[in-house]
Amino acid sequence: MDLCKNKTGISDEAAKNLKPHQVPQTHDEQCYLACINHELETVFPNNTMNLERIKHLYTGLKTIYPDSDIYEKSIKVAEICATKVTANSDDCAAAKIYAECYVDEANKVL
């Protein structure tokens, strides 16, 4: 997402190397992920999770995996992770906390 690369100053290589289901390690990676979260509106401006938006984004899972409970499990992961960040947390730190939670919880239920 070029907008977030420009906002955060992350290098093209670092942005390209950041994979889904990977916890961002550097401050630049954390801030880049925070920007993406805000642009996708998966978090509110105060960094609390926008569960309704996430549910909407995840509805495609029902079509892609019609005989699976991956949608329900993914929502459960989101609900658990929503409790991990308090309102008005630092953007970059919140993104890392959410990513850590998603990786940990997804490995348990998916």
Side-chain angles (χ1 to χ4, degrees), residues 3 6 13 17 25 28 33 37 39-40 65 82-83 85 98 105 107:
L3 172 70
N6 293 337
E13 184 177 342
N17 290 333
Q25 298 302 310
D28 285 348
L33 183 57
N37 288 343
E39 290 301 316
L40 292 175
Y65 305 103
T83 67
V85 173
Y98 283 137
E105 294 301 323
N107 285 333

Side-chain angles (χ1 to χ4, degrees), residues 52-88:
E52 291 307 310
R53 175 71 174 154
I54 290 171
K55 288 176 184 177
H56 173 74
L57 292 173
Y58 284 2
T59 55
L61 293 172
K62 294 177 186 178
T63 304
I64 297 168
Y65 305 103
D67 298 326
S68 172
D69 60 353
I70 193 166
Y71 171 80
E72 290 79 11
K73 288 180 177 181
S74 296
I75 296 304
K76 180 178 179 178
V77 169
E79 290 171 343
I80 291 168
C81 294
T83 67
K84 303 297 180 184
V85 173
T86 58
N88 301 312

Side-chain angles (χ1 to χ4, degrees), residues 30-46:
Q30 293 164 17
C31 294
Y32 179 67
L33 183 57
C35 178
I36 292 171
N37 288 343
H38 283 283
E39 290 301 316
L40 292 175
E41 299 178 355
T42 57
V43 295
F44 291 111
N46 69 356

